[in-house]
Amino acid sequence: MSTSNTRPLTGGCQCGAARYEIAGPILSRYVCHCRECQKQSASAFGISIGVRSADVRLIQGKLLRWSRRTDSGRTLHCFFCSACGTRVWHGDQDTESEISVKGGSLDEPVDLSGAIHIWTIRKLPGVLIPKGAQQYAMEPD
């Protein structure tokens, strides 16, 4: 699900100290219903876009890193603003070819049409997944 950008996407943290730009296409869109995303977003789910690591550039501020084990047994590297703590992206640009930028950190809202819903076994009651949306009970391979 590649989407061309006519201009770089921009985003940042809640306090404005950390800013980034994405020069390449969006490779994927995810809505994650796992408990960790619910806790991290303080909401019903987390939203992320997949992009190439090489296309993302931190243009202002400093990000700190926190790593945790996921339910699938992987290690997730989480990057957040050193000033306000806003989660900005997941994935280590130095070691991973693709990272997952947190949808709420983008300046322009994410179009969730065609988003892939994951960890639907943990979906909160009352949350509706669009008819025909691609979905996985857990994390896809």
Side-chain angles (χ1 to χ4, degrees):
M1 170 194 328
S2 179
T3 302
S4 284
N5 300 335
T6 56
R7 59 187 164 77
L9 294 174
T10 57
C13 67
Q14 191 171 9
C15 75
R19 299 286 303 155
Y20 64 83
E21 69 178 21
I22 304 168
I26 296 172
L27 304 174
S28 57
R29 291 173 176 83
Y30 287 97
V31 175
C32 182
H33 300 270
C34 78
R35 282 295 297 141
E36 290 297 326
C37 281
Q38 291 168 1
K39 288 178 184 181
Q40 183 265 313
S41 68
S43 187
F45 47 79
I47 299 170
S48 300
I49 60 168
V51 296
R52 288 187 300 261
S53 293
D55 292 340
V56 180
R57 185 172 65 100
L58 186 66
I59 55 176
Q60 177 182 305
K62 179 182 177 187
L63 299 181
L64 298 178
R65 174 182 167 157
W66 174 69
S67 300
R68 68 169 180 83
R69 298 291 288 174
T70 65
D71 288 341
S72 63
R74 298 179 180 143
T75 299
L76 181 66
H77 304 291
C78 310
F79 290 83
F80 57 95
C81 173
S82 63
C84 69
T86 300
R87 193 82 57 97
V88 179
W89 65 66
H90 292 163
D92 187 337
Q93 286 183 284
D94 294 333
T95 62
E96 299 173 51
S97 62
E98 191 176 315
I99 64 170
S100 174
V101 175
K102 302 308 294 176
S105 73
L106 290 162
D107 292 336
E108 304 264 334
V110 176
D111 177 0
L112 293 178
S113 302
I116 300 167
H117 290 255
I118 60 175
W119 284 101
T120 58
I121 63 169
R122 302 228 172 106
K123 178 180 74 66
L124 295 181
V127 170
L128 302 176
I129 297 175
K131 192 173 200 156
Q134 187 176 357
Q135 55 185 294
Y136 295 87
M138 296 167 64
E139 188 173 331
D141 292 333

